[in-house]
Amino acid sequence: MQVREKERRERKDRAERYSIRKRFWSKLLEYANTQTDLHSNISPSEYHWIGTGSGVRGLAYTYKVTQHTSIVDLYIDRGAGCKAENKKIFDTLYSHKDQIEAVFGGPLEWRRLDGSKASRIVIEFPGGYRDDESEWQAIIEKMVDAMIRLEKTFSPFIAQLKAGG
């Protein structure tokens, strides 16, 4: 009997979490679409992330949200069998770290993730979907501002990758 009750409670918690995240993403996308068209073709999701391509396969601009943390990143993952290629792209971008962070307007977290096939370049903020909903707008505005700056900063470098340079 207790097992069944625990399973029911877990399903309820999951459903609630998905519903809250979808509401968070709806608000984020509504605001983001007034600031940039970068994510204009994206629908709210129940998952912990939403993203869009950069114009180069395997490089995506993503928003992520946890209960009390928000993340904006450039996610590098060109797929199965591409770990070395992912690390090469990351290393190429990292070789311009000082210039990139100067254009971005602050430090970024450079996560090469040697144990993983993917790599990430991250901006992380306090505040997430389980924080008071009255705080969401401030969180969302920080995330969208960071995303706009991230895309502007990386666009020229991604264009070089696209051109094969």
Side-chain angles (χ1 to χ4, degrees):
M1 193 67 157
Q2 287 182 346
V3 171
R4 216 177 279 164
E5 179 59 32
K6 182 180 178 198
E7 289 172 355
R8 189 174 16 255
R9 196 170 44 251
E10 287 173 356
R11 278 195 307 273
K12 182 179 181 256
D13 289 347
R14 187 175 6 202
E16 179 185 35
R17 179 174 63 239
Y18 287 175
S19 173
I20 293 169
R21 280 197 302 237
K22 191 166 188 175
R23 199 165 64 247
F24 182 89
W25 292 136
S26 294
K27 291 181 181 290
L28 182 137
L29 290 170
E30 182 180 319
Y31 176 75
N33 289 336
T34 69
Q35 305 298 308
T36 178
D37 62 359
L38 186 61
H39 291 85
S40 61
N41 294 323
I42 296 175
S43 298
S45 161
E46 60 192 23
Y47 301 110
H48 75 283
W49 67 275
I50 57 175
T52 191
S54 66
V56 170
R57 179 181 62 82
L59 276 68
Y61 294 111
T62 63
Y63 292 107
K64 295 179 178 76
V65 67
T66 67
Q67 292 186 41
H68 301 291
T69 306
S70 299
I71 295 170
V72 173
D73 71 6
L74 176 64
Y75 188 76
I76 304 166
D77 184 0
R78 294 180 62 96
C82 293
K83 181 177 180 178
E85 188 177 353
N86 294 336
K87 300 312 174 193
K88 182 179 179 190
I89 291 169
F90 178 90
D91 292 344
T92 298
L93 294 171
Y94 189 80
S95 73
H96 300 281
K97 177 183 184 283
D98 292 342
Q99 178 187 357
I100 287 169
E101 290 181 343
V103 173
F104 179 76
L108 297 165
E109 292 182 45
W110 296 80
R111 299 180 183 173
R112 193 171 193 271
L113 307 175
D114 289 330
S116 171
K117 70 176 174 160
S119 292
R120 301 170 61 200
I121 303 164
V122 177
I123 306 97
E124 192 168 327
F125 305 101
Y129 72 88
R130 288 283 189 187
D131 289 316
D132 192 290
E133 203 164 329
S134 67
E135 298 175 25
W136 283 8
Q137 189 61 34
I139 296 165
I140 286 167
E141 287 176 13
K142 283 182 192 174
M143 291 176 76
V144 171
D145 173 68
M147 180 63 74
I148 290 168
R149 291 185 294 127
L150 193 73
E151 191 270 340
K152 177 184 173 203
T153 299
F154 280 99
S155 283
F157 296 96
I158 290 173
Q160 287 177 344
L161 291 170
K162 193 174 186 175

